[in-house]
Amino acid sequence: MASTVLKRSCYSGMRSMVGALSTGGRSYASVAVGTDIVSAAPDVSLQKARSWDEGVSTKFSTTPLKDIFKDKKVVIFGLPGAYTGVCSQQHVPSYKNNIDKFKAKGIDSVICVAVNDPFVLNGWAEKLEAKDAIEFYGDFDGKFHKALELDKDLSVALLGPRSQRWSAYVVDGKVKSLNVEEAPSDFKVSGGDVILGQI
């Protein structure tokens, strides 16, 4: 199925909290079908979700992107943040509930990434009972999303610099399909059911 790449617009805030939205700024993210994510975000690492004690015992180690994507079929989705409404109630469950279907299609890992520290993400993943199905990674300083131009200022919702809501199917680091919501509060194209049809 052809990838759905939606126009990326800068909004004044999340639709559910603001109502009227204004558009402008960059039209598209720099990441697109065919992009090599590792090359697009050089020297960027993510932080696997873990408890504080696990962080201390691993000396707060990080995971290079090549270790996440090289020689693997990966479904990755990004969202504005842990413990937020759509993220908790719809986005993560759409992947958790379809994990057997992803595995049947040969997907090596399903990954959730957000601009949060790995300790918050760990607590959230445990609350959602999703750690056995999905790998959670923190982009604590937002460098990953900024490199791909998938970042979003959500200060109006008291979240500060965060991520767009998006999903991608990535094979050996190359983006095969990409879906970006028009607004972070939307949940139309970035869910598990959509990307299952694109694999």
Side-chain angles (χ1 to χ4, degrees):
M1 183 182 290
S3 170
T4 306
V5 182
L6 296 183
K7 183 176 180 181
R8 181 176 187 264
S9 302
C10 290
Y11 287 86
S12 60
M14 298 177 75
R15 175 171 289 144
S16 61
M17 304 186 81
V18 182
L21 301 172
S22 60
T23 60
R26 295 191 305 255
S27 295
Y28 293 93
S30 65
V31 66
V33 172
T35 297
D36 184 318
I37 286 186
V38 179
S39 298
D43 304 318
V44 171
S45 295
L46 296 175
Q47 311 86 45
K48 192 157 191 177
R50 59 206 161 193
S51 69
W52 179 260
D53 288 343
E54 289 169 331
V56 170
S57 69
T58 60
K59 298 182 180 177
F60 303 105
S61 64
T62 61
T63 306
L65 294 183
K66 62 181 175 56
D67 291 352
I68 296 172
F69 295 107
K70 186 171 176 52
D71 298 324
K72 295 176 184 175
K73 292 181 179 179
V74 175
V75 167
I76 183 170
F77 63 103
L79 40 78
Y83 295 100
T84 56
V86 175
C87 304
S88 298
Q89 297 161 14
Q90 294 177 276
H91 208 171
V92 171
S94 78
Y95 288 88
K96 175 188 169 186
N97 296 337
N98 281 304
I99 196 63
D100 290 339
K101 294 178 182 177
F102 284 114
K103 297 301 181 184
K105 284 180 174 278
I107 298 302
D108 294 298
S109 55
V110 175
I111 292 171
C112 173
V113 62
V115 182
N116 286 112
D117 65 69
F119 316 112
V120 165
L121 281 179
N122 186 66
W124 185 50
E126 289 180 346
K127 180 179 176 65
L128 295 177
E129 299 180 348
K131 281 189 74 174
D132 291 339
I134 300 169
E135 295 179 26
F136 288 77
Y137 283 90
D139 177 23
F140 84 95
D141 55 3
K143 283 184 180 177
F144 176 69
H145 286 92
K146 287 175 187 173
L148 302 179
E149 292 188 3
L150 288 169
D151 55 311
K152 185 75 175 175
D153 183 357
L154 295 177
S155 296
V156 70
L158 305 180
L159 294 172
R162 293 289 180 140
S163 162
Q164 294 273 21
R165 188 180 305 284
W166 61 280
S167 66
Y169 171 44
V170 183
V171 178
D172 193 22
K174 301 286 196 312
V175 176
K176 298 298 183 181
S177 63
L178 174 69
N179 311 288
V180 183
E181 301 286 359
E182 288 192 43
S185 57
D186 286 348
F187 185 66
K188 299 174 183 177
V189 300
S190 62
D193 291 331
V194 173
I195 207 157
L196 268 171
Q198 298 172 338
I199 298 170

